[in-house]
Amino acid sequence: MKTALSIATSDCSGGAGIQADTKAMTLNGVYAMSVLAALTAQNTTGVAGIFSVPPEFLEQQIDMVFADIRPDAVKIGMVPTAELFRVIGRRLRHYGADNIVVDPVMVATSGSKLMERDALSALKEELLPIAALVTPNIPEAEALAGMTIREKDDMLPAAQEISRKHGCAVLLKGGHNVSDADDLFCTEDTYTWFEGAYIDNPNTHGTGCTLSSAIAANLAKGFDLPASIRRAKDYLS
C-alpha cells in the first residue's frame, strides 16, 4: 500500500486539519500518517486557541516517520510559526521527500487568523521551492503573489506569478465570489481550468484540507498532477 504523510495541525472538532487529512488520505486508498505542528481548540465557528509544538519535537516526529515508513507523498497544511516552517523545510530536504503538496493555510473558514506574521516569508522560502504543488485559495494567492484578485480573469496572472517566483505548480482554488467551484491549475508555461459544480452547502469547514490531502494521496498512488487534481475534486464534490 502507498503511504502519505500530513504535517499539519489538529482540529479537535474533526472537520479540518490532521483529522480531515487522514480521513481523506485513507478514503483515497493510501496509508495515512501524521506529524503535528500544533494543537487547536476550534470548531466550525471559530478558533479559540493555538498551541504550537516545540520545533525540536516537530523534527523528532518527522525523523521517526521517515526512519520507518517513508511517505510516497507529503501534504503540509496549517503551520503557525516561521521556526516550524524552517524545521519542516530542512528535514524534507534532508530526506529528499517526494510529491510535496503545500496548502498555505493562513485564515480559517470562520475568519480566524492561523499564521503568525513572519511565517509567510518562511513558507515561501522553505517550502514552495521544494513543492510539487501549492493550493492557495483567493486570499492566500493574493498574499503569495502580491496581487489583487477581483475577478476570474485575475486568477491566471496571479497563479503564473506564484509559479514563476517559486518554481512550483499552482492550483488556485476558485470560490470567494470569484469563480464558484472552478479551480485553475498553472505552471510557468501551461494552465488548465478544472470546472466544478457549485454546491450550496454551509459545511465547508476543512474543504481545503480535504482537497490537498486527496491530491497528495493520488500522487502517492502514481497519478500525475492533473489526474490527481481531477480525482481529488471529484472526491471532494
Side-chain angles (χ1 to χ4, degrees):
M1 179 178 256
K2 297 297 185 179
T3 61
L5 169 65
S6 167
I7 304 175
T9 294
S10 171
D11 170 11
C12 56
S13 71
I18 287 281
Q19 288 83 349
D21 295 347
T22 55
K23 291 172 187 175
M25 290 172 175
T26 300
L27 290 172
N28 278 271
V30 301
Y31 179 74
M33 299 174 287
S34 60
V35 165
L36 283 168
L39 308 175
T40 65
Q42 69 168 295
N43 56 29
T44 63
T45 66
V47 179
I50 300 173
F51 181 79
S52 298
V53 305
E56 299 79 10
F57 186 65
L58 177 69
E59 181 171 341
Q60 191 174 33
Q61 292 179 79
I62 295 171
D63 288 344
M64 292 301 286
V65 169
F66 274 89
D68 187 21
I69 309 172
R70 182 181 175 87
D72 296 300
V74 179
K75 174 265 171 82
I76 302 163
M78 178 199 155
V79 177
T81 71
E83 193 171 9
L84 294 175
F85 275 124
R86 285 191 282 269
V87 169
I88 295 167
R90 183 172 70 247
R91 299 319 287 164
L92 294 185
R93 284 185 173 87
H94 173 77
Y95 291 109
D98 302 309
N99 296 318
I100 298 171
V101 177
V102 177
D103 184 22
V105 181
M106 301 175 193
V107 179
T109 300
S110 63
S112 301
K113 184 180 177 183
L114 300 174
M115 181 189 290
E116 293 183 359
R117 184 181 301 273
D118 62 345
L120 178 59
S121 294
L123 182 153
K124 292 178 180 178
E125 294 165 6
E126 297 290 341
L127 296 187
L128 296 192
I130 61 173
L133 180 71
V134 60
T135 62
N137 60 27
I138 297 296
E140 292 159 354
E142 290 180 322
L144 292 174
M147 301 170 65
T148 300
I149 302 172
R150 291 192 175 90
E151 56 188 9
K152 190 172 181 178
D153 288 345
D154 296 330
M155 292 174 65
L156 180 57
Q160 289 174 324
E161 177 67 6
I162 296 168
S163 182
R164 183 192 65 78
K165 285 201 300 188
H166 302 292
C168 58
V170 179
L171 181 68
L172 205 174
K173 296 175 290 189
H176 291 84
N177 299 318
V178 171
S179 68
D180 289 334
D182 293 346
D183 299 337
L184 176 64
F185 173 64
C186 179
T187 66
E188 282 192 66
D189 303 317
T190 64
Y191 70 92
T192 305
W193 283 98
F194 285 86
E195 296 182 354
Y198 177 74
I199 299 172
D200 188 10
N201 187 337
N203 301 312
T204 59
H205 180 64
T207 51
C209 303
T210 299
L211 180 66
S212 54
S213 296
I215 293 170
N218 282 285
L219 288 173
K221 292 193 293 184
F223 293 99
D224 63 14
L225 271 172
S228 296
I229 292 167
R230 172 48 62 198
R231 291 169 66 89
K233 276 184 69 68
D234 289 345
Y235 167 73
L236 180 61
S237 295

